[in-house]
Amino acid sequence: MQQLARLEDLPADYREELAQQNLVPLWPNLRSVLPPDKPLPNTRATHWPYAALRPLLLRAGELTPIEKAERRVLVLANPGHGLEKMQASAAMYLGMQLLLPGEWAPAHRHTPNAVRMIVEGEGAYTTVGGEKCPMHRGDLILTPTGLWHDHGHDGDAPVVWLDVLDLPLVHYLEASYHVDGERQAAKPAHGERLHAQGGILPTPFFERRKTAYPMLRYPWTQTRAALEALAAAEPALDAVQVSYVNPQTGADAQNILGYYALMLRPGQTLKLPARSPATVCHLIEGAAEARIQDQQFALSAADTCCLPGYTPWVLVNSSADAPAFSSSSTKPRCIASWASTSRDSDQAHL
Ligand code: 1HN
């Protein structure tokens, strides 16, 4: 590959004149924005064990009252981006949020999309666009862009959930902001009941209802049952995986990040293909080992890890007797499906 001229190869007075006119020569910087053959990600394979995080989050509950935090969250930050950037990857933000009995996290809405994946505790709920969504372990609850949301807790033990937002991407686009609001009058969520059965849609005469986000809560009991049924129906199927979709359109449930749930059969070793965007994986049940580049993460239930794009990886169920269940998120659509070169043609860039 051709070595390109450096900035220092240009006369100082010329460089000075360029800068005064807000002009920059491309060639000294071309290789850094367009590296040869593969991207140069900042995102590092990272593991956030829940056992280490949980006591620190509970301590935050003692140290900072909800009124002084609005959202009591410890951010799962990727050291490759710098912890202060609060990014898990270029596109994804992750945080573990704690709500104590009787607390209320006030209503607001914002441009980034969010989802909650419930990790532990009973009795909390989030109200999204006026729909009261109860939170049970493993549930996925959408908070799409622009919808009002506040969180309450009528139970008697701490509740913890994982927040996933496309905040870094929306912030990068200089489009991130929020608006505060009043506590919402909550009516029971009905989306998951309207769409309780796959393949059947509510169809009042004479046209189908079309709402941007017809289903906000995806109960874990249903997702888990779907994975078990899929595994039983297709014993030879390698990746027992389902996508969280908009039940009216079949498209991804939200419009920037895609969400999936995966079951590892007892004893299974699953090779996962490289995808162009970074991926986050959260273990809901069981125990598994994630092999990413030269690292091995022993994942227990409620652990979270991430890996950069363009990286094949392997998940191994640590139990020979019980299945393991995980959820994952990534940017759904490929950035560069043509990106296979002769050097990495064995990798599919999904
Ligand atoms: C947010 O709105 C929540 O509503 C949690 O619970 C975490 C992180 C950054 C920006 C907005 C919430 C957030 C957030």
Side-chain angles (χ1 to χ4, degrees), residues 176-261:
S176 178
Y177 73 102
H178 90 282
V179 180
D180 288 324
E182 298 295 315
R183 187 166 197 150
Q184 299 175 80
K187 60 180 187 320
H190 61 291
E192 81 254 26
R193 276 177 280 132
L194 288 181
H195 303 96
Q197 182 65 53
I200 294 172
L201 287 178
T203 311
F205 292 106
F206 284 91
E207 54 190 275
R208 273 197 197 150
R209 259 179 274 172
K210 274 261 180 329
T211 43
Y213 302 101
M215 186 162 159
L216 294 171
R217 179 169 176 267
Y218 296 75
W220 175 236
T221 49
Q222 286 179 18
T223 309
R224 194 185 192 286
L227 286 166
E228 296 248 40
L230 178 58
E234 299 221 20
L237 185 66
D238 220 18
V240 183
Q241 185 175 233
V242 294
S243 304
Y244 290 94
V245 299
N246 175 328
Q248 288 180 348
T249 64
D252 289 294
Q254 286 193 159
N255 57 17
I256 294 186
L257 300 177
Y259 297 93
Y260 310 85

Side-chain angles (χ1 to χ4, degrees), residues 15-60:
R15 275 150 46 192
E16 183 60 28
E17 237 179 294
L18 287 179
Q20 269 172 18
Q21 299 302 323
N22 297 322
L23 296 170
V24 176
L26 173 61
W27 57 97
N29 303 305
L30 182 57
R31 299 284 188 242
S32 67
V33 290
L34 210 56
D37 300 330
K38 58 179 175 26
L40 288 173
N42 288 319
T43 304
R44 276 190 223 152
T46 307
H47 176 200
W48 295 274
Y50 190 59
L53 183 164
R54 186 178 187 276
L56 295 169
L57 188 56
L58 291 177
R59 181 105 193 276

